[in-house]
Amino acid sequence: MKILVANNCVPFVRGGAEHLAEALTDKLNEFGHQAMLVRIPFRWEPPRKMLESMLACRLMRTPNVDRIIAFKFPAYYLPHDNKYLWLVHQFRQVYDLWGTPYQGMEETAENLAVRRSIIEADNTYLREARKIYTNSATTSDRLARYNQIASTVLYPPLLETRHFRFGETGSYIFCAGRVTTSKRQHLLVEAMRHTRTAVRLVIAGKTEDPADGERIARLVAEHGLAGRVTVIDRFIEEEEKAALFADALGAAYIPFDEDSYGYVTIEAFYSGKPVITTTDSGGILQVVLDGETGYVTEPTPVAIAAAMDRLYEDPARARALGKAGHDLIQSMGLTWEHVISTLTAG
């Protein structure tokens, strides 16, 4: 089958959705299909520019393609008679993030009109898909709540897992992934002010907005944390990331209301490390179970600090929690065989 994998693209910004789209394309080809990835340039500032991107997607034609598999807004507007969705998320700023600090749009008359246009277009064009899969129950719940559209959860596996390994139980909490406000790495740095132990923090990932990096640097400097907080402000390669996971005490991933369980969580579990997350972190709570595979805390620096200290004070318990996370992921049957057979059926 000739399959076009469609995703949006903010130039020089890379996250989980980009990784997943590339992985799916590689695996479709590996399993005998002809697949290519199309990245559609996208911008959301100023908000009215999104209308141009939406129109551009509707005007695109894809001859010589048997099936489209689309991921994100507005790529899922591409017209095709045999369109499937593996929905990572919609444009959340007009849905669940509206009215929160992460809304990112002023409530002007123009922006309210843009919001209405996006919701109306979603209600119309999402229904064109022959089948809608999502990356998590959280994404499915949002789609049902805001658009009254049913979907089926299809959990994404990692592209490769062999390089992740159990290593030593170190003294640092590892936080991987792009650095941005909604991922809340700054809360982890603030938590380090309140720890009672010698636990350390390592943050590794490219800063999306210079202001986020400056905020973290300021917190480190103001509170004298330079000896206990390490920031690696760049995209790290897979082997380096695997090594940092392997010898960590545990991992931390505390985004605000994440769609899925997050690659970082799965990578930690494949490395036998427990994960600290928060009660408002969304889909991660499907696999990070408090006291079983990690710790779930209130999203405050003091509460997060207490979870860090608990891991530091009981490394044997940390290893047991990490092993339980590894066992849980193994039991979920996260395989590319299942994903490919599902997305190419029918």
Side-chain angles (χ1 to χ4, degrees):
M1 189 184 304
K2 296 178 181 177
I3 301 174
L4 187 148
V5 178
N7 197 24
N8 73 16
C9 168
V10 179
F12 308 107
V13 174
R14 179 180 172 82
E18 290 72 30
H19 177 86
L20 181 59
E22 293 171 3
L24 175 62
T25 306
D26 289 345
K27 289 298 181 180
L28 284 166
N29 285 310
E30 182 180 316
F31 278 75
H33 299 279
Q34 297 181 56
M36 65 176 293
L37 173 59
V38 172
R39 300 178 178 91
I40 301 169
F42 173 64
R43 62 181 294 191
W44 59 82
E45 293 179 345
R48 65 177 181 274
K49 289 294 183 180
M50 290 187 287
L51 302 179
E52 297 178 4
S53 296
M54 293 160 63
L55 178 60
C57 287
R58 290 305 297 172
L59 292 174
M60 288 183 185
R61 296 297 180 264
T62 52
N64 200 35
V65 171
D66 299 319
R67 176 169 298 181
I68 286 178
I69 301 174
F71 281 86
K72 289 168 63 177
F73 168 88
Y76 53 59
Y77 288 165
L78 265 67
H80 197 274
D81 291 337
N82 191 19
K83 179 168 62 178
Y84 278 42
L85 269 58
W86 196 7
L87 187 63
V88 173
H89 57 72
Q90 297 162 265
F91 191 69
R92 294 180 57 199
Q93 287 86 335
V94 305
Y95 290 108
D96 58 294
L97 296 183
W98 188 264
T100 76
Y102 308 103
Q103 178 177 312
M105 297 170 61
E106 294 183 16
E107 292 188 36
T108 64
E110 180 179 87
N111 289 349
L112 287 168
V114 170
R115 184 188 185 217
R116 287 194 298 271
S117 296
I118 292 172
I119 294 172
E120 290 171 5
D122 277 359
N123 286 334
T124 300
Y125 299 126
L126 285 170
R127 288 180 167 85
E128 290 181 340
R130 292 185 58 187
K131 188 74 176 180
I132 299 179
Y133 296 97
T134 68
N135 63 339
S136 75
T138 301
T139 307
S140 285
D141 290 345
R142 289 186 192 134
L143 187 61
R145 182 166 73 252
Y146 293 108
N147 306 96
Q148 294 75 54
I149 297 175
S151 58
T152 302
V153 176
L154 179 63
Y155 290 117
L158 294 177
L159 177 60
E160 293 291 346
T161 61
R162 288 173 292 183
H163 57 301
F164 292 105
R165 59 193 181 276
F166 286 35
E168 301 296 325
T169 301
S171 62
Y172 62 89
I173 303 296
F174 182 45
C175 176
R178 60 191 175 90
V179 177
T180 187
T181 302
S182 64
K183 302 294 184 183
R184 301 193 298 194
Q185 288 92 346
H186 63 277
L187 271 183
L188 295 175
V189 178
E190 291 179 27
M192 292 297 291
R193 297 171 53 197
H194 303 282
T195 54
R196 297 175 289 97
T197 65
V199 66
R200 296 184 296 117
L201 173 66
V202 176
I203 297 172
K206 181 64 178 174
T207 301
E208 190 169 294
D209 184 332
D212 294 318
E214 291 165 6
R215 181 182 190 180
I216 289 173
R218 185 170 60 252
L219 287 169
V220 170
E222 287 179 355
H223 301 293
L225 297 171
R228 300 179 56 216
V229 175
T230 300
V231 178
I232 306 171
D233 185 7
R234 57 178 169 80
F235 178 78
I236 58 173
E237 299 295 337
E238 286 296 303
E239 285 298 333
E240 182 181 7
K241 179 169 61 176
L244 285 165
F245 269 121
D247 293 330
L249 170 64
Y253 193 46
I254 58 168
F256 176 75
D257 201 15
E258 187 89 334
D259 307 277
S260 72
Y261 45 56
Y263 278 131
V264 172
T265 309
I266 305 307
E267 290 165 346
F269 286 162
Y270 273 115
S271 307
K273 303 302 177 183
V275 176
I276 296 170
T277 193
T278 54
T279 54
D280 62 351
S281 285
I284 298 158
L285 301 176
Q286 298 168 66
V287 293
V288 179
L289 310 176
D290 189 42
E292 297 182 35
T293 60
Y295 292 124
V296 180
T297 81
E298 292 299 316
T300 66
V302 172
I304 295 166
M308 292 178 172
D309 285 335
R310 290 177 73 182
L311 291 180
Y312 187 89
E313 290 171 336
D314 194 347
R317 178 67 173 156
R319 286 191 292 272
L321 293 172
K323 176 63 165 56
H326 181 268
D327 293 345
L328 174 62
I329 293 304
Q330 296 285 33
S331 73
M332 290 175 65
L334 302 178
T335 68
W336 280 106
E337 288 83 358
H338 174 62
V339 167
I340 300 302
S341 65
T342 299
L343 293 176
T344 59

